[in-house]
Amino acid sequence: MKNTKELNRDLIHKILDGDAAPDEQLKMIAQVQADADLKKEFDDIAGALHSLETSERMPAPPFFTAEVMRRLPPKKAPIGRRVWNFLFKGRALKWNMATAFAATVILALIFTQVVRTRNAHVEIAAVSQQEQVVTVTMNLHAPEAHHVSVAGTFNKWKADANVLTKQENGIWTISIPLKPGEYNYMFVVDGKAWITDPNAETYSDDGFGNKNAVVRVKI
Amino acid sequence: MNISIETEEHKIIQLCLEGDSEQYALLVDKYKAMAYNIAYRMVGDADIAKDMAQESFISAYASLERFEYGSKFSSWLYRIVVNKCKDHLRAERDTVQVDEIRDIVPSKERTPEQAVSSRQTGDVIQQALNSLPDDYRDVIVLKHIEELDYREISDILGVSVNALKVRAHRGREMLRELLEKMGARV
């Protein structure tokens, strides 16, 4: 059998858990007012709980989510879902300068080859009647540039002789008729920066520690 | 939590299971504060609490296949947090030397300055919590700090509501006695 003190204690916790009936609560209020020890016990527990309930809530430490995400074990989707995702799911490509440069080189190379082939066709059709000339197309991806020209052995390194045209995709382009032979050249960006063509067929040392782009024109 | 939020979370879990792990960041962001706070109150150390909470999210992700769609992600996550913290406390106790025990038992030899400082930062409460048995501490933390109801705590801890009430009762009594011994007027 529990004594009165224990029964009162049970009732205190019943009240704290919200399980006490209204008459039990009234009984406890009367007893607490009459018994100083019981009042202290009730006040101490209520005070402790108040401290717990109002205790400081700390925000999660900085970078919490990023650290969790970095440490997640790989989870492979079912094969069917992976194929579906590959084909139909939107994706964000992550770029850095190296991949951007590599992609530019590949795109420009494909573009140059296509144009060159097409132009070569046109020129070869014409060469039999006139002088043997091949139209060479040069490209430079420079979306930020305001002016791009090409200077080389075919125009006596004049920076203003052959000006490229900017296309919407940021690629500057020019087609120049050249006789068969080997030519060194450089792009001149905004009248001051001399840039070696990253898509050149080959390169030659310019004698000043830089490399000139080289184009070989053949029929 | 209402039905639509649960459905939204189940959708996120489904996407994670289909390989879209980036979606998991939404769940981490949503529950990181509570997971961290539960862990902090369980282990009483900010760095360890961070480890416990982060490892809980990682464990939950690793076993997402076992998540039952009829239940709440938060309850499932908090169960993992509480269990990890208890495992940690158990392992720590196993390695604590007898002569170090006095450091985690409330000491009466604190200076008044320390007592005031502790009281101001809420450390008294944490010290008292640290001294509770694990099975009382978890229910006190979830009930009186996180203010969850007994039904949810029952889901989290896998203990019946009646058994939880008994533990809460005993835990509160111990807390009161500890605080009295520590001379804290709360």
Side-chain angles (χ1 to χ4, degrees), chain B residues 1-7 9 30-31 71-75 152:
Chain B
M1 188 182 283
N2 60 37
I3 299 292
S4 65
I5 293 174
E6 281 183 35
T7 311
E9 291 184 352
K30 186 169 178 185
Y31 294 113
S71 56
K72 284 165 75 171
F73 177 77
S74 56
S75 300
E152 184 165 5

Side-chain angles (χ1 to χ4, degrees), chain A residues 168-185:
Chain A
E168 280 180 7
N169 55 9
I171 293 176
W172 293 76
T173 186
I174 189 170
S175 296
I176 306 173
L178 293 174
K179 293 179 189 175
E182 186 172 298
Y183 303 92
N184 285 7
Y185 67 98

Side-chain angles (χ1 to χ4, degrees), chain A residues 53-69:
Chain A
E53 282 159 11
T54 56
S55 61
E56 191 186 3
R57 300 187 63 81
M58 288 150 299
F63 312 115
F64 186 98
T65 304
E67 288 173 15
V68 169
M69 294 305 288

Side-chain angles (χ1 to χ4, degrees), chain A:
Chain A
M1 275 294 285
K2 290 185 175 180
N3 60 33
T4 312
K5 194 175 178 185
E6 284 168 339
L7 287 171
N8 281 337
R9 197 169 277 163
D10 285 350
L11 190 52
I12 289 175
H13 289 282
K14 215 171 164 185
I15 291 172
L16 292 172
D17 282 336
D19 292 339
D23 61 317
E24 288 179 308
Q25 292 187 37
L26 289 171
K27 185 181 150 201
M28 177 53 71
I29 289 169
Q31 282 178 325
V32 160
Q33 282 169 345
D35 185 337
D37 285 346
L38 188 64
K39 184 175 188 312
K40 184 179 181 309
E41 196 170 328
F42 191 91
D43 286 348
D44 283 351
I45 292 183
L49 296 189
H50 178 73
S51 298
L52 287 173
E53 282 159 11
T54 56
S55 61
E56 191 186 3
R57 300 187 63 81
M58 288 150 299
F63 312 115
F64 186 98
T65 304
E67 288 173 15
V68 169
M69 294 305 288
R70 205 175 52 230
R71 290 170 57 197
L72 288 185
K75 192 178 280 298
K76 282 197 169 178
I79 183 75
R81 170 58 63 172
R82 272 183 277 159
V83 171
W84 175 270
N85 287 349
F86 178 77
L87 292 173
F88 300 112
K89 195 168 182 299
R91 68 193 68 231
L93 293 177
K94 290 178 182 169
W95 289 88
N96 56 32
M97 287 310 289
T99 50
F101 179 73
T104 306
V105 168
I106 291 165
L107 276 176
L109 202 62
I110 292 168
F111 185 74
T112 308
Q113 290 300 325
V114 168
V115 173
R116 184 179 289 167
T117 309
R118 197 175 61 209
N119 288 337
H121 258 300
V122 172
E123 293 308 319
I124 287 166
V127 286
S128 57
Q129 294 168 7
Q130 296 182 10
E131 203 178 353
Q132 290 188 326
V133 173
V134 172
T135 299
V136 175
T137 300
M138 298 169 174
N139 299 302
L140 180 71
H141 183 241
E144 309 292 335
H146 300 293
H147 185 275
V148 178
S149 60
V150 60
T153 47
F154 48 81
N155 65 9
K156 298 182 181 171
W157 295 101
K158 287 181 187 166
D160 54 357
N162 296 94
V163 178
L164 283 71
T165 308
K166 189 180 186 180
Q167 298 178 320
E168 280 180 7
N169 55 9
I171 293 176
W172 293 76
T173 186
I174 189 170
S175 296
I176 306 173
L178 293 174
K179 293 179 189 175
E182 186 172 298
Y183 303 92
N184 285 7
Y185 67 98
M186 296 279 274
F187 291 119
V188 187
V189 175
D190 293 336
K192 52 189 179 197
W194 288 70
I195 307 286
T196 305
D197 185 357
N199 308 318
E201 270 182 69
T202 184
Y203 300 93
S204 73
D205 205 321
D206 68 357
F208 300 99
N210 294 316
K211 288 192 181 304
N212 287 331
V214 175
V215 58
R216 293 191 183 110
V217 179
K218 289 179 264 183
I219 295 291

Side-chain angles (χ1 to χ4, degrees), chain A residues 9-10 13 17 19 40 45 51 53 55-58 64-65 67 69 71 73 75 77 81, chain B residues 18 21 29 32 37 40-41 50 54 61 65 144-146 150 165 169 172-173 176 180 186:
Chain A
R9 197 169 277 163
D10 285 350
H13 289 282
D17 282 336
D19 292 339
K40 184 179 181 309
I45 292 183
S51 298
E53 282 159 11
S55 61
E56 191 186 3
R57 300 187 63 81
M58 288 150 299
F64 186 98
T65 304
E67 288 173 15
M69 294 305 288
R71 290 170 57 197
K75 192 178 280 298
R81 170 58 63 172
Chain B
E18 288 170 2
S21 60
D29 269 337
K32 63 184 177 183
N37 273 284
Y40 179 74
R41 292 304 179 184
K50 181 183 167 191
Q54 289 189 329
Y61 179 83
E65 292 84 357
H144 294 295
I145 296 186
E146 302 306 334
Y150 278 120
K165 284 181 180 174
H169 176 147
R172 287 188 294 238
E173 280 299 323
R176 181 181 65 79
E180 197 171 18
V186 290

